[in-house]
């Protein structure tokens, strides 16, 4: 019974985090699915033993432990991939900010010397800012 209550609590927390937009939808599906699997196992613990018997595991607890470790491994792998992707994005943004800072300093220097401001070639197409259009936020 405690397992089912925990599952219901987990699903309620996930729904609340989604409602407050604190959790992205792409992660919520996995956690809601986990909660929905936990709920019936609390009411019918023999289901776990039956599943363990069908896959050749000695005990339902051993099956649950194995599945939990595998699940956590997949979550860690996915989060590591996300961190790597975000680090690369941060590095790219830092490089772009450094280039813009250098260009700003050069333009200020030219203004101080009274030189005409000619646009410097950046190797990018005209109008390209290197990122998202101004005023728009990413909804990933």
């Amino acid at each position: 019974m405690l397992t089912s209550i925990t599952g219901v609590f987990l699903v309620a927390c996930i729904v609340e985090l989604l409602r407050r937009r604190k959790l992205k939808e792409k992660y919520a599906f996995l956690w809601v699915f986990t909660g929905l699997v936990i709920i019936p196992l609390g009411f019918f613990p023999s289901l776990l033993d039956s599943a363990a018997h069908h896959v050749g595991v000695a005990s339902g607890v051993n099956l649950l432990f194995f599945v939990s470790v595998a699940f956590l491994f997949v979550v860690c792998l996915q989060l590591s991939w996300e961190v790597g992707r975000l680090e690369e994005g941060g590095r790219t943004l830092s490089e772009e900010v450094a280039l813009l800072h250098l260009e700003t300093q050069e333009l200020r220097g030219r203004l101080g010397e009274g030189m005409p401001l000619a646009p410097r070639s950046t190797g990018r197409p005209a109008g390209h800012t290197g990122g998202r259009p101004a005023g728009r936020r990413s909804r990933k």
Side-chain angles (χ1 to χ4, degrees):
M1 184 62 134
L2 181 62
T3 305
S4 295
I5 293 170
T6 303
V8 169
F9 180 73
L10 175 67
V11 171
C13 286
I14 298 303
V15 168
E16 182 62 21
L17 288 172
L18 279 170
R19 191 182 69 76
R20 293 182 182 189
R21 299 200 185 278
K22 300 289 183 184
L23 182 65
K24 303 257 183 210
E25 292 85 4
K26 68 180 181 179
Y27 302 119
F29 172 75
L30 190 61
W31 295 114
V32 168
F33 178 75
T34 301
L36 293 176
V37 167
I38 290 173
I39 293 169
L41 290 177
F43 288 119
F44 308 105
S46 61
L47 288 175
L48 189 58
D49 290 326
S50 297
H53 177 71
H54 286 304
V55 295
V57 177
S59 168
V61 175
N62 291 345
L63 178 63
L64 182 62
F65 181 72
F66 172 76
V67 169
S68 299
V69 169
F71 174 77
L72 291 175
F73 176 77
V74 169
V75 168
C76 286
L77 187 64
Q78 196 273 335
L79 290 176
S80 295
W81 177 77
E82 286 281 339
V83 166
R85 191 177 60 82
L86 290 172
E87 282 179 351
E88 182 63 32
R91 185 177 307 115
T92 302
L93 288 173
S94 295
E95 291 170 356
E96 287 183 8
V97 166
L99 289 172
L100 289 172
H101 182 69
L102 178 65
E103 188 174 320
T104 303
Q105 285 180 338
E106 288 176 1
L107 289 174
R108 284 183 181 161
R110 287 184 189 171
L111 277 174
E113 297 170 1
M115 294 179 65
L117 297 179
R120 191 178 79 158
S121 174
T122 61
R124 292 180 273 185
H128 179 68
T129 61
R132 294 184 300 273
R136 294 192 61 197
R137 298 181 76 194
S138 174
R139 297 219 14 129
K140 289 183 182 177

